[in-house]
Amino acid sequence: MAGSANLGKHLEDYVDELVNTGRYETRDDVLREGLRLLQIKERRLAELDAAIERSLADAEAGRVRPIEDGAARLKAKYAAMAKDRSR
């Protein structure tokens, strides 16, 4: 699907700057990279939505643990990380 897009002055100027500074070779390269990053973002959002749905289903089915258990586990994890970093 070939075509053109009206990006508005601000984005047009930004694309031109990226090409003129040599960061990208062409305007198409800039737009392809932007769309590639948008695909990654959309995939990650879909994965997050799926994880939230699984978590809600677990909670509704009673597959939960007290928050104190999770807090203790995280506290121990970060204490160990801090100890390793100070060595």
Side-chain angles (χ1 to χ4, degrees):
M1 176 172 111
S4 63
N6 181 0
L7 301 177
K9 180 161 177 37
H10 174 73
L11 292 177
E12 289 283 349
D13 291 346
Y14 185 59
V15 170
D16 289 341
E17 177 185 337
L18 291 171
V19 173
N20 292 336
T21 60
R23 178 80 170 98
Y24 292 90
E25 287 189 30
T26 67
R27 296 172 58 77
D28 287 342
D29 290 342
V30 175
L31 297 177
R32 274 192 289 275
E33 178 71 3
L35 289 173
R36 185 185 68 77
L37 293 171
L38 187 57
Q39 283 179 319
I40 291 169
K41 177 185 171 188
E42 291 297 322
R43 185 183 72 239
R44 288 180 179 167
L45 285 173
E47 290 169 355
L48 181 58
D49 286 344
I52 290 170
E53 287 297 322
R54 286 191 306 273
S55 296
L56 291 172
D58 283 345
E60 288 174 8
R63 295 184 296 266
V64 296
R65 291 186 235 163
I67 189 137
E68 293 81 12
D69 293 353
R73 185 173 47 86
L74 289 173
K75 185 176 180 180
K77 174 184 176 179
Y78 291 116
M81 288 172 62
K83 183 178 177 182
D84 287 344
R85 204 177 299 152
S86 66
R87 289 182 187 178

